[in-house]
Amino acid sequence: MKFLRNILNKQKEAVEGNEKLKKFWPIFDSLDTFAFTPNHTTKSGSHIRDGIDLKRTMMTVIIALVPCLLFGMWNVGHQFYLAEGTPDVSMMEKFLYGLIEVLPLIVVSYGVGLGVEFIFCIKNGHEIQEGFLVSGMLIPLIMPVDVPLWMVGVATAFAVLIGKEIFGGTGMNVVNIALTARAFLFFAHPTKMSGDKVWIDGHTGATPLGDLATIQKYQAEMSAAADAGNQGLVDQLGTQIAELSEKTPSVMEAFIGTIPGSVGETSALCCLIGAIILLWTGIASWRIMVSFFVGGLSMGLLLNVVGGDTSQFMGLDPITQLMLGGFMFGLVFMATDPVTASQTNSGKWIYGFICGFLAILIRIANPAYPEGVMLAILFGNVMAPMIDHMVISFNIKRRKKRLQIA
Amino acid sequence: MDLVSLFIRSAFVENMIFAFFFGMCSYLAVSKTVKTAVGLGAAVIFVLTVTVPVNWLLDTYVLQEGALSWLGSEYADVDLSFLSFIMFIAVIASIVQLVEMIVEKFSPALYGALGIFLPLIAVNCAILGGALFMQQKQFFSIGESFTYGFGSGIGWFIAVVAIAAIREKIRYSHIPPPVRGVGMAFILTGLMGLAFLGFLGF
């Protein structure tokens, strides 16, 4: 520790003494406060003493993400060796394979994101805020493993620049940064990102959601063929559906997460561990989590009633539906982002419900996007200020009325 | 059921702002505060809901080829569809005039806040666009065109109120000076369009 302090002190002298280096103060400052508790004091205005600051909040979220990250790495290796036909290799080997695949994504995401942030801070001359710590970890976790690194770089740069810095930096953004990065790639390079397939080193494997969407398509084709009296096609599609149906994971598999998918999203169990950490420390809002879950559940039940007989995707039991894909990951880490979610308590209920409801609706009703969580949360982010406005004006009206009665 | 899906389609999937970028000028201009946005949004809903069915009647019984056959068999091959632009605009302008008088009478404050943009609804491309899409889509009944007009209006309303709420929220953010104001509104529209893309393909 002493050793680190000495190095930093030497840097401090260099930065403060040299006129030319002075503008790099934000970089030094961020490294310094990252390593040691800062002894800053408030210079003006109100003084609030609280043990938690932005940096600690961000670190807590990172800790909550660690189970997802570690499991994701193992799962990448697991899926790879499964596709190779040798699923019996040791756990360590699988983990190492995943580590080698995932680590570059993390490095690129942090490198590009922090680079953009540093440039902005030096240019504007204000201190670096740690908003990117979490986004930089979230971005690799919601990417398919084999996404080219330049794509990650471009998407991260876009998200940090257009999604955050232009709005004035950390805490001012309107849409979730990690989701902006993913949506950017999703629409700019749909072949890599559509959420129905994940590639692992040449082995193309459809995600369970992709399979279900295909089944839905086949079922529609089959009923059309049956109407037309084409018995050969009906039989052929029937066997294809049966083949795909066998691949649909059980609830337990989907819950543990040994299914193909983006790095961090597959395991509902790890997301739940993260959720417990976030809720226990009081960083994420339980209102959003509960209403998000209820929204997804009610949409799942509704679809069961509406189309349970005609389509296997709609008829999927709601719990399995919610365990698949990125629903749990979005619920725990994306929707609860305190900056982009609704600020008012009743607003949080509405916001969460809309996100969850839409996530399942887009997943099923939109054949082009078997994964709808990302777009649903982005939609919720965009609508959140309007929801807040409505809630507040409703409260004002109610209190005025109360005043009149009294 | 068809009407419900038509409504959702016109409000979200084919949102006037995010899918076609129609009515951008007033969208950018009045979205500084939620209050004016709600006012103009309501006016657009009203105007679209009235003009689209009226224009549908006009189109079906006067303008289309053979539409005049109710006058007698000698008019059966008259095709007045080259007049549709001018007729649609005339209908829209007169109805906007009506809305303007009503707003001025019942809410002078809103009338003052909306200013020039209320008469400008007459040349708002979202309104004419609604009428022309109606013609292109060849609706079969007045109910369909009514639903389409109402849904498009609701879509425009949601878009303008949502961006106004966001712009109110970011008013005190430290936005770089070059993109303050309209520049920011454009960037926001782009990001919101990204979120609305989720509905594409329903």
Side-chain angles (χ1 to χ4, degrees), chain A residues 43-89:
Chain A
K43 292 189 185 69
S44 64
S46 56
H47 289 58
I48 299 171
R49 270 183 78 95
D50 197 341
I52 198 148
D53 63 351
L54 190 61
K55 208 162 278 187
R56 196 169 294 176
T57 312
M58 293 295 171
M59 282 319 287
T60 315
V61 182
I62 296 273
I63 290 168
L65 277 169
V66 166
C68 280
L69 179 68
L70 293 182
F71 183 86
M73 286 178 178
W74 175 81
N75 190 39
V76 168
H78 178 68
Q79 294 300 329
F80 172 72
Y81 285 113
L82 213 59
E84 287 270 277
T86 52
D88 298 328
V89 296

mmCIF file of all heavy atoms in Angstrom, chain A residues 43-89:
data_model
loop_
_atom_site.group_PDB
_atom_site.id
_atom_site.type_symbol
_atom_site.label_atom_id
_atom_site.label_comp_id
_atom_site.label_asym_id
_atom_site.label_seq_id
_atom_site.Cartn_x
_atom_site.Cartn_y
_atom_site.Cartn_z
ATOM 1 N N LYS A 43 -16.632 22.096 -0.697
ATOM 2 C CA LYS A 43 -16.162 23.473 -0.576
ATOM 3 C C LYS A 43 -17.303 24.455 -0.358
ATOM 4 O O LYS A 43 -17.126 25.522 0.205
ATOM 5 C CB LYS A 43 -15.374 23.845 -1.824
ATOM 6 C CG LYS A 43 -14.063 23.062 -1.917
ATOM 7 C CD LYS A 43 -13.187 23.586 -3.034
ATOM 8 C CE LYS A 43 -11.940 22.719 -3.185
ATOM 9 N NZ LYS A 43 -12.245 21.364 -3.710
ATOM 10 N N SER A 44 -18.487 24.132 -0.827
ATOM 11 C CA SER A 44 -19.592 25.078 -0.654
ATOM 12 C C SER A 44 -20.897 24.297 -0.571
ATOM 13 O O SER A 44 -20.925 23.101 -0.791
ATOM 14 C CB SER A 44 -19.656 26.048 -1.835
ATOM 15 O OG SER A 44 -19.955 25.308 -2.990
ATOM 16 N N GLY A 45 -21.933 25.006 -0.218
ATOM 17 C CA GLY A 45 -23.255 24.391 -0.236
ATOM 18 C C GLY A 45 -23.480 23.454 0.928
ATOM 19 O O GLY A 45 -22.783 23.492 1.942
ATOM 20 N N SER A 46 -24.462 22.600 0.782
ATOM 21 C CA SER A 46 -24.865 21.737 1.884
ATOM 22 C C SER A 46 -23.841 20.626 2.065
ATOM 23 O O SER A 46 -23.190 20.186 1.127
ATOM 24 C CB SER A 46 -26.231 21.137 1.591
ATOM 25 O OG SER A 46 -26.162 20.470 0.361
ATOM 26 N N HIS A 47 -23.719 20.153 3.284
ATOM 27 C CA HIS A 47 -22.796 19.079 3.587
ATOM 28 C C HIS A 47 -23.594 17.850 3.986
ATOM 29 O O HIS A 47 -24.308 17.868 4.974
ATOM 30 C CB HIS A 47 -21.867 19.474 4.739
ATOM 31 C CG HIS A 47 -20.874 20.502 4.333
ATOM 32 N ND1 HIS A 47 -21.246 21.716 3.820
ATOM 33 C CD2 HIS A 47 -19.521 20.496 4.337
ATOM 34 C CE1 HIS A 47 -20.156 22.417 3.543
ATOM 35 N NE2 HIS A 47 -19.103 21.693 3.847
ATOM 36 N N ILE A 48 -23.476 16.815 3.196
ATOM 37 C CA ILE A 48 -24.148 15.577 3.556
ATOM 38 C C ILE A 48 -23.077 14.533 3.820
ATOM 39 O O ILE A 48 -22.189 14.327 2.992
ATOM 40 C CB ILE A 48 -25.085 15.098 2.426
ATOM 41 C CG1 ILE A 48 -26.150 16.147 2.170
ATOM 42 C CG2 ILE A 48 -25.701 13.769 2.777
ATOM 43 C CD1 ILE A 48 -26.981 15.863 0.958
ATOM 44 N N ARG A 49 -23.153 13.906 4.977
ATOM 45 C CA ARG A 49 -22.189 12.841 5.266
ATOM 46 C C ARG A 49 -22.838 11.511 4.976
ATOM 47 O O ARG A 49 -23.874 11.176 5.535
ATOM 48 C CB ARG A 49 -21.771 12.912 6.728
ATOM 49 C CG ARG A 49 -20.567 13.774 6.968
ATOM 50 C CD ARG A 49 -20.196 13.706 8.417
ATOM 51 N NE ARG A 49 -19.496 12.465 8.699
ATOM 52 C CZ ARG A 49 -18.181 12.369 8.704
ATOM 53 N NH1 ARG A 49 -17.444 13.411 8.428
ATOM 54 N NH2 ARG A 49 -17.596 11.235 8.993
ATOM 55 N N ASP A 50 -22.233 10.774 4.074
ATOM 56 C CA ASP A 50 -22.783 9.463 3.762
ATOM 57 C C ASP A 50 -21.627 8.544 3.405
ATOM 58 O O ASP A 50 -20.677 8.967 2.747
ATOM 59 C CB ASP A 50 -23.771 9.566 2.592
ATOM 60 C CG ASP A 50 -24.647 8.332 2.518
ATOM 61 O OD1 ASP A 50 -24.249 7.305 3.098
ATOM 62 O OD2 ASP A 50 -25.704 8.389 1.890
ATOM 63 N N GLY A 51 -21.703 7.318 3.868
ATOM 64 C CA GLY A 51 -20.627 6.385 3.604
ATOM 65 C C GLY A 51 -20.568 5.976 2.141
ATOM 66 O O GLY A 51 -19.557 5.483 1.666
ATOM 67 N N ILE A 52 -21.653 6.189 1.413
ATOM 68 C CA ILE A 52 -21.683 5.684 0.050
ATOM 69 C C ILE A 52 -21.504 6.832 -0.927
ATOM 70 O O ILE A 52 -22.137 7.867 -0.793
ATOM 71 C CB ILE A 52 -22.977 4.901 -0.207
ATOM 72 C CG1 ILE A 52 -22.819 4.031 -1.435
ATOM 73 C CG2 ILE A 52 -24.189 5.802 -0.326
ATOM 74 C CD1 ILE A 52 -23.607 2.772 -1.337
ATOM 75 N N ASP A 53 -20.582 6.672 -1.850
ATOM 76 C CA ASP A 53 -20.449 7.662 -2.913
ATOM 77 C C ASP A 53 -20.554 6.928 -4.236
ATOM 78 O O ASP A 53 -20.775 5.715 -4.278
ATOM 79 C CB ASP A 53 -19.128 8.433 -2.785
ATOM 80 C CG ASP A 53 -17.930 7.511 -2.935
ATOM 81 O OD1 ASP A 53 -18.147 6.291 -2.960
ATOM 82 O OD2 ASP A 53 -16.801 8.009 -3.022
ATOM 83 N N LEU A 54 -20.405 7.694 -5.317
ATOM 84 C CA LEU A 54 -20.615 7.117 -6.640
ATOM 85 C C LEU A 54 -19.717 5.914 -6.870
ATOM 86 O O LEU A 54 -20.135 4.877 -7.361
ATOM 87 C CB LEU A 54 -20.360 8.200 -7.688
ATOM 88 C CG LEU A 54 -20.760 7.835 -9.105
ATOM 89 C CD1 LEU A 54 -22.241 7.556 -9.163
ATOM 90 C CD2 LEU A 54 -20.396 8.953 -10.048
ATOM 91 N N LYS A 55 -18.441 6.085 -6.433
ATOM 92 C CA LYS A 55 -17.474 5.022 -6.696
ATOM 93 C C LYS A 55 -17.874 3.739 -5.980
ATOM 94 O O LYS A 55 -17.799 2.647 -6.536
ATOM 95 C CB LYS A 55 -16.099 5.483 -6.225
ATOM 96 C CG LYS A 55 -14.978 4.854 -6.996
ATOM 97 C CD LYS A 55 -13.704 5.637 -6.829
ATOM 98 C CE LYS A 55 -13.649 6.819 -7.753
ATOM 99 N NZ LYS A 55 -12.381 7.513 -7.765
ATOM 100 N N ARG A 56 -18.310 3.876 -4.735
ATOM 101 C CA ARG A 56 -18.674 2.673 -4.000
ATOM 102 C C ARG A 56 -19.934 2.032 -4.573
ATOM 103 O O ARG A 56 -20.037 0.801 -4.658
ATOM 104 C CB ARG A 56 -18.870 3.001 -2.523
ATOM 105 C CG ARG A 56 -18.869 1.765 -1.700
ATOM 106 C CD ARG A 56 -18.798 2.058 -0.236
ATOM 107 N NE ARG A 56 -17.531 2.674 0.153
ATOM 108 C CZ ARG A 56 -17.293 3.086 1.391
ATOM 109 N NH1 ARG A 56 -18.213 2.965 2.310
ATOM 110 N NH2 ARG A 56 -16.141 3.628 1.696
ATOM 111 N N THR A 57 -20.892 2.860 -5.009
ATOM 112 C CA THR A 57 -22.087 2.316 -5.653
ATOM 113 C C THR A 57 -21.706 1.467 -6.853
ATOM 114 O O THR A 57 -22.150 0.335 -7.020
ATOM 115 C CB THR A 57 -22.987 3.469 -6.149
ATOM 116 O OG1 THR A 57 -23.129 4.400 -5.114
ATOM 117 C CG2 THR A 57 -24.323 2.958 -6.589
ATOM 118 N N MET A 58 -20.802 2.051 -7.655
ATOM 119 C CA MET A 58 -20.416 1.353 -8.879
ATOM 120 C C MET A 58 -19.709 0.041 -8.540
ATOM 121 O O MET A 58 -19.937 -0.984 -9.173
ATOM 122 C CB MET A 58 -19.468 2.241 -9.697
ATOM 123 C CG MET A 58 -20.138 3.479 -10.238
ATOM 124 S SD MET A 58 -21.386 3.048 -11.421
ATOM 125 C CE MET A 58 -22.169 4.601 -11.698
ATOM 126 N N MET A 59 -18.835 0.072 -7.519
ATOM 127 C CA MET A 59 -18.114 -1.141 -7.160
ATOM 128 C C MET A 59 -19.087 -2.225 -6.684
ATOM 129 O O MET A 59 -18.899 -3.405 -6.985
ATOM 130 C CB MET A 59 -17.082 -0.850 -6.055
ATOM 131 C CG MET A 59 -15.818 -0.179 -6.556
ATOM 132 S SD MET A 59 -15.195 -0.816 -8.108
ATOM 133 C CE MET A 59 -14.537 -2.392 -7.572
ATOM 134 N N THR A 60 -20.127 -1.814 -5.963
ATOM 135 C CA THR A 60 -21.089 -2.807 -5.494
ATOM 136 C C THR A 60 -21.763 -3.490 -6.673
ATOM 137 O O THR A 60 -21.964 -4.710 -6.679
ATOM 138 C CB THR A 60 -22.150 -2.141 -4.610
ATOM 139 O OG1 THR A 60 -21.496 -1.277 -3.713
ATOM 140 C CG2 THR A 60 -22.954 -3.173 -3.861
ATOM 141 N N VAL A 61 -22.117 -2.694 -7.691
ATOM 142 C CA VAL A 61 -22.762 -3.305 -8.862
ATOM 143 C C VAL A 61 -21.800 -4.266 -9.547
ATOM 144 O O VAL A 61 -22.184 -5.346 -9.975
ATOM 145 C CB VAL A 61 -23.255 -2.218 -9.842
ATOM 146 C CG1 VAL A 61 -23.959 -2.867 -11.018
ATOM 147 C CG2 VAL A 61 -24.175 -1.258 -9.148
ATOM 148 N N ILE A 62 -20.518 -3.854 -9.623
ATOM 149 C CA ILE A 62 -19.525 -4.744 -10.241
ATOM 150 C C ILE A 62 -19.450 -6.055 -9.470
ATOM 151 O O ILE A 62 -19.427 -7.145 -10.062
ATOM 152 C CB ILE A 62 -18.139 -4.064 -10.259
ATOM 153 C CG1 ILE A 62 -18.161 -2.819 -11.133
ATOM 154 C CG2 ILE A 62 -17.078 -5.052 -10.720
ATOM 155 C CD1 ILE A 62 -17.887 -3.031 -12.564
ATOM 156 N N ILE A 63 -19.435 -5.963 -8.138
ATOM 157 C CA ILE A 63 -19.380 -7.199 -7.333
ATOM 158 C C ILE A 63 -20.614 -8.052 -7.617
ATOM 159 O O ILE A 63 -20.525 -9.267 -7.753
ATOM 160 C CB ILE A 63 -19.292 -6.840 -5.836
ATOM 161 C CG1 ILE A 63 -17.929 -6.229 -5.543
ATOM 162 C CG2 ILE A 63 -19.502 -8.080 -4.969
ATOM 163 C CD1 ILE A 63 -17.833 -5.585 -4.194
ATOM 164 N N ALA A 64 -21.768 -7.388 -7.759
ATOM 165 C CA ALA A 64 -22.988 -8.144 -8.052
ATOM 166 C C ALA A 64 -22.911 -8.809 -9.418
ATOM 167 O O ALA A 64 -23.559 -9.823 -9.662
ATOM 168 C CB ALA A 64 -24.202 -7.225 -7.978
ATOM 169 N N LEU A 65 -22.087 -8.219 -10.306
ATOM 170 C CA LEU A 65 -21.981 -8.784 -11.659
ATOM 171 C C LEU A 65 -21.021 -9.961 -11.725
ATOM 172 O O LEU A 65 -21.057 -10.741 -12.676
ATOM 173 C CB LEU A 65 -21.507 -7.705 -12.634
ATOM 174 C CG LEU A 65 -22.572 -6.763 -13.180
ATOM 175 C CD1 LEU A 65 -21.906 -5.606 -13.904
ATOM 176 C CD2 LEU A 65 -23.479 -7.490 -14.143
ATOM 177 N N VAL A 66 -20.148 -10.082 -10.709
ATOM 178 C CA VAL A 66 -19.095 -11.100 -10.784
ATOM 179 C C VAL A 66 -19.641 -12.522 -10.969
ATOM 180 O O VAL A 66 -19.138 -13.256 -11.833
ATOM 181 C CB VAL A 66 -18.163 -10.996 -9.566
ATOM 182 C CG1 VAL A 66 -17.294 -12.225 -9.436
ATOM 183 C CG2 VAL A 66 -17.284 -9.771 -9.716
ATOM 184 N N PRO A 67 -20.688 -12.950 -10.204
ATOM 185 C CA PRO A 67 -21.196 -14.306 -10.454
ATOM 186 C C PRO A 67 -21.590 -14.516 -11.910
ATOM 187 O O PRO A 67 -21.229 -15.539 -12.514
ATOM 188 C CB PRO A 67 -22.426 -14.395 -9.546
ATOM 189 C CG PRO A 67 -22.235 -13.375 -8.513
ATOM 190 C CD PRO A 67 -21.413 -12.295 -9.102
ATOM 191 N N CYS A 68 -22.296 -13.538 -12.491
ATOM 192 C CA CYS A 68 -22.701 -13.662 -13.891
ATOM 193 C C CYS A 68 -21.489 -13.786 -14.791
ATOM 194 O O CYS A 68 -21.471 -14.592 -15.724
ATOM 195 C CB CYS A 68 -23.501 -12.435 -14.328
ATOM 196 S SG CYS A 68 -25.191 -12.491 -13.805
ATOM 197 N N LEU A 69 -20.473 -12.982 -14.513
ATOM 198 C CA LEU A 69 -19.278 -12.978 -15.359
ATOM 199 C C LEU A 69 -18.574 -14.321 -15.295
ATOM 200 O O LEU A 69 -18.272 -14.932 -16.321
ATOM 201 C CB LEU A 69 -18.345 -11.857 -14.899
ATOM 202 C CG LEU A 69 -17.037 -11.739 -15.661
ATOM 203 C CD1 LEU A 69 -17.300 -11.281 -17.071
ATOM 204 C CD2 LEU A 69 -16.091 -10.793 -14.968
ATOM 205 N N LEU A 70 -18.342 -14.814 -14.056
ATOM 206 C CA LEU A 70 -17.614 -16.077 -13.912
ATOM 207 C C LEU A 70 -18.403 -17.215 -14.542
ATOM 208 O O LEU A 70 -17.864 -18.028 -15.290
ATOM 209 C CB LEU A 70 -17.350 -16.364 -12.438
ATOM 210 C CG LEU A 70 -16.390 -15.386 -11.756
ATOM 211 C CD1 LEU A 70 -16.175 -15.794 -10.313
ATOM 212 C CD2 LEU A 70 -15.069 -15.318 -12.492
ATOM 213 N N PHE A 71 -19.705 -17.248 -14.249
ATOM 214 C CA PHE A 71 -20.505 -18.313 -14.829
ATOM 215 C C PHE A 71 -20.513 -18.204 -16.345
ATOM 216 O O PHE A 71 -20.431 -19.202 -17.053
ATOM 217 C CB PHE A 71 -21.936 -18.263 -14.300
ATOM 218 C CG PHE A 71 -22.756 -19.394 -14.819
ATOM 219 C CD1 PHE A 71 -22.756 -20.610 -14.184
ATOM 220 C CD2 PHE A 71 -23.502 -19.254 -15.982
ATOM 221 C CE1 PHE A 71 -23.488 -21.665 -14.675
ATOM 222 C CE2 PHE A 71 -24.229 -20.313 -16.486
ATOM 223 C CZ PHE A 71 -24.218 -21.519 -15.819
ATOM 224 N N GLY A 72 -20.612 -16.959 -16.844
ATOM 225 C CA GLY A 72 -20.635 -16.748 -18.293
ATOM 226 C C GLY A 72 -19.383 -17.303 -18.948
ATOM 227 O O GLY A 72 -19.450 -17.979 -19.973
ATOM 228 N N MET A 73 -18.222 -17.051 -18.315
ATOM 229 C CA MET A 73 -16.968 -17.565 -18.874
ATOM 230 C C MET A 73 -16.993 -19.084 -18.916
ATOM 231 O O MET A 73 -16.644 -19.704 -19.922
ATOM 232 C CB MET A 73 -15.792 -17.085 -18.027
ATOM 233 C CG MET A 73 -15.471 -15.627 -18.231
ATOM 234 S SD MET A 73 -14.116 -15.168 -17.153
ATOM 235 C CE MET A 73 -13.891 -13.474 -17.627
ATOM 236 N N TRP A 74 -17.430 -19.684 -17.806
ATOM 237 C CA TRP A 74 -17.471 -21.145 -17.779
ATOM 238 C C TRP A 74 -18.422 -21.661 -18.856
ATOM 239 O O TRP A 74 -18.131 -22.614 -19.567
ATOM 240 C CB TRP A 74 -17.931 -21.623 -16.406
ATOM 241 C CG TRP A 74 -18.109 -23.109 -16.380
ATOM 242 C CD1 TRP A 74 -17.127 -24.045 -16.226
ATOM 243 C CD2 TRP A 74 -19.334 -23.815 -16.565
ATOM 244 N NE1 TRP A 74 -17.661 -25.297 -16.286
ATOM 245 C CE2 TRP A 74 -19.007 -25.193 -16.491
ATOM 246 C CE3 TRP A 74 -20.647 -23.437 -16.770
ATOM 247 C CZ2 TRP A 74 -19.976 -26.181 -16.629
ATOM 248 C CZ3 TRP A 74 -21.608 -24.412 -16.901
ATOM 249 C CH2 TRP A 74 -21.270 -25.782 -16.838
ATOM 250 N N ASN A 75 -19.564 -20.977 -18.986
ATOM 251 C CA ASN A 75 -20.580 -21.457 -19.922
ATOM 252 C C ASN A 75 -20.086 -21.366 -21.361
ATOM 253 O O ASN A 75 -20.409 -22.219 -22.185
ATOM 254 C CB ASN A 75 -21.870 -20.652 -19.740
ATOM 255 C CG ASN A 75 -23.024 -21.248 -20.506
ATOM 256 O OD1 ASN A 75 -23.149 -22.466 -20.565
ATOM 257 N ND2 ASN A 75 -23.826 -20.404 -21.117
ATOM 258 N N VAL A 76 -19.310 -20.322 -21.670
ATOM 259 C CA VAL A 76 -18.757 -20.214 -23.022
ATOM 260 C C VAL A 76 -17.926 -21.453 -23.325
ATOM 261 O O VAL A 76 -18.088 -22.104 -24.367
ATOM 262 C CB VAL A 76 -17.912 -18.934 -23.155
ATOM 263 C CG1 VAL A 76 -17.100 -18.977 -24.438
ATOM 264 C CG2 VAL A 76 -18.793 -17.717 -23.147
ATOM 265 N N GLY A 77 -17.045 -21.819 -22.385
ATOM 266 C CA GLY A 77 -16.242 -23.014 -22.578
ATOM 267 C C GLY A 77 -17.104 -24.256 -22.661
ATOM 268 O O GLY A 77 -16.907 -25.122 -23.513
ATOM 269 N N HIS A 78 -18.100 -24.328 -21.780
ATOM 270 C CA HIS A 78 -18.991 -25.487 -21.737
ATOM 271 C C HIS A 78 -19.692 -25.679 -23.078
ATOM 272 O O HIS A 78 -19.702 -26.776 -23.640
ATOM 273 C CB HIS A 78 -20.010 -25.277 -20.625
ATOM 274 C CG HIS A 78 -21.010 -26.371 -20.496
ATOM 275 N ND1 HIS A 78 -20.656 -27.628 -20.075
ATOM 276 C CD2 HIS A 78 -22.347 -26.401 -20.733
ATOM 277 C CE1 HIS A 78 -21.733 -28.391 -20.062
ATOM 278 N NE2 HIS A 78 -22.778 -27.676 -20.457
ATOM 279 N N GLN A 79 -20.235 -24.580 -23.610
ATOM 280 C CA GLN A 79 -20.940 -24.670 -24.886
ATOM 281 C C GLN A 79 -19.988 -25.053 -26.006
ATOM 282 O O GLN A 79 -20.341 -25.809 -26.913
ATOM 283 C CB GLN A 79 -21.617 -23.337 -25.223
ATOM 284 C CG GLN A 79 -22.730 -22.938 -24.294
ATOM 285 C CD GLN A 79 -23.849 -23.942 -24.266
ATOM 286 O OE1 GLN A 79 -24.118 -24.610 -25.263
ATOM 287 N NE2 GLN A 79 -24.512 -24.086 -23.134
ATOM 288 N N PHE A 80 -18.750 -24.535 -25.916
ATOM 289 C CA PHE A 80 -17.773 -24.833 -26.961
ATOM 290 C C PHE A 80 -17.457 -26.318 -26.977
ATOM 291 O O PHE A 80 -17.531 -26.982 -28.012
ATOM 292 C CB PHE A 80 -16.494 -24.024 -26.742
ATOM 293 C CG PHE A 80 -15.372 -24.418 -27.652
ATOM 294 C CD1 PHE A 80 -15.416 -24.091 -28.990
ATOM 295 C CD2 PHE A 80 -14.288 -25.130 -27.175
ATOM 296 C CE1 PHE A 80 -14.396 -24.457 -29.837
ATOM 297 C CE2 PHE A 80 -13.261 -25.497 -28.018
ATOM 298 C CZ PHE A 80 -13.313 -25.160 -29.349
ATOM 299 N N TYR A 81 -17.137 -26.876 -25.786
ATOM 300 C CA TYR A 81 -16.763 -28.286 -25.759
ATOM 301 C C TYR A 81 -17.964 -29.182 -26.033
ATOM 302 O O TYR A 81 -17.828 -30.273 -26.556
ATOM 303 C CB TYR A 81 -16.091 -28.632 -24.433
ATOM 304 C CG TYR A 81 -14.682 -28.101 -24.367
ATOM 305 C CD1 TYR A 81 -14.333 -27.098 -23.478
ATOM 306 C CD2 TYR A 81 -13.712 -28.579 -25.243
ATOM 307 C CE1 TYR A 81 -13.049 -26.594 -23.445
ATOM 308 C CE2 TYR A 81 -12.423 -28.083 -25.218
ATOM 309 C CZ TYR A 81 -12.091 -27.092 -24.320
ATOM 310 O OH TYR A 81 -10.830 -26.584 -24.309
ATOM 311 N N LEU A 82 -19.149 -28.693 -25.702
ATOM 312 C CA LEU A 82 -20.369 -29.436 -26.025
ATOM 313 C C LEU A 82 -20.519 -29.544 -27.530
ATOM 314 O O LEU A 82 -20.831 -30.612 -28.079
ATOM 315 C CB LEU A 82 -21.570 -28.696 -25.432
ATOM 316 C CG LEU A 82 -22.740 -29.533 -24.947
ATOM 317 C CD1 LEU A 82 -22.269 -30.485 -23.870
ATOM 318 C CD2 LEU A 82 -23.831 -28.626 -24.403
ATOM 319 N N ALA A 83 -20.268 -28.409 -28.228
ATOM 320 C CA ALA A 83 -20.389 -28.404 -29.682
ATOM 321 C C ALA A 83 -19.300 -29.227 -30.320
ATOM 322 O O ALA A 83 -19.490 -29.859 -31.359
ATOM 323 C CB ALA A 83 -20.342 -26.970 -30.198
ATOM 324 N N GLU A 84 -18.121 -29.264 -29.671
ATOM 325 C CA GLU A 84 -17.018 -30.075 -30.170
ATOM 326 C C GLU A 84 -17.302 -31.559 -29.996
ATOM 327 O O GLU A 84 -16.670 -32.389 -30.632
ATOM 328 C CB GLU A 84 -15.726 -29.732 -29.407
ATOM 329 C CG GLU A 84 -15.143 -28.396 -29.768
ATOM 330 C CD GLU A 84 -14.166 -28.505 -30.921
ATOM 331 O OE1 GLU A 84 -12.997 -28.850 -30.684
ATOM 332 O OE2 GLU A 84 -14.587 -28.278 -32.072
ATOM 333 N N GLY A 85 -18.204 -31.876 -29.096
ATOM 334 C CA GLY A 85 -18.507 -33.275 -28.844
ATOM 335 C C GLY A 85 -17.684 -33.871 -27.718
ATOM 336 O O GLY A 85 -17.688 -35.080 -27.509
ATOM 337 N N THR A 86 -16.969 -33.018 -26.977
ATOM 338 C CA THR A 86 -16.197 -33.514 -25.838
ATOM 339 C C THR A 86 -16.581 -32.758 -24.570
ATOM 340 O O THR A 86 -15.833 -31.920 -24.088
ATOM 341 C CB THR A 86 -14.695 -33.340 -26.073
ATOM 342 O OG1 THR A 86 -14.493 -31.966 -26.445
ATOM 343 C CG2 THR A 86 -14.163 -34.240 -27.148
ATOM 344 N N PRO A 87 -17.771 -33.025 -24.048
ATOM 345 C CA PRO A 87 -18.217 -32.246 -22.880
ATOM 346 C C PRO A 87 -17.577 -32.698 -21.576
ATOM 347 O O PRO A 87 -17.890 -32.156 -20.532
ATOM 348 C CB PRO A 87 -19.725 -32.497 -22.863
ATOM 349 C CG PRO A 87 -19.893 -33.799 -23.547
ATOM 350 C CD PRO A 87 -18.768 -33.983 -24.495
ATOM 351 N N ASP A 88 -16.659 -33.671 -21.620
ATOM 352 C CA ASP A 88 -16.150 -34.227 -20.366
ATOM 353 C C ASP A 88 -14.879 -33.559 -19.861
ATOM 354 O O ASP A 88 -14.323 -33.978 -18.857
ATOM 355 C CB ASP A 88 -15.892 -35.732 -20.536
ATOM 356 C CG ASP A 88 -17.179 -36.452 -20.859
ATOM 357 O OD1 ASP A 88 -18.218 -35.975 -20.367
ATOM 358 O OD2 ASP A 88 -17.145 -37.452 -21.605
ATOM 359 N N VAL A 89 -14.399 -32.525 -20.582
ATOM 360 C CA VAL A 89 -13.157 -31.904 -20.115
ATOM 361 C C VAL A 89 -13.398 -31.234 -18.768
ATOM 362 O O VAL A 89 -14.534 -30.943 -18.389
ATOM 363 C CB VAL A 89 -12.628 -30.856 -21.122
ATOM 364 C CG1 VAL A 89 -12.257 -31.519 -22.407
ATOM 365 C CG2 VAL A 89 -13.642 -29.761 -21.321
#
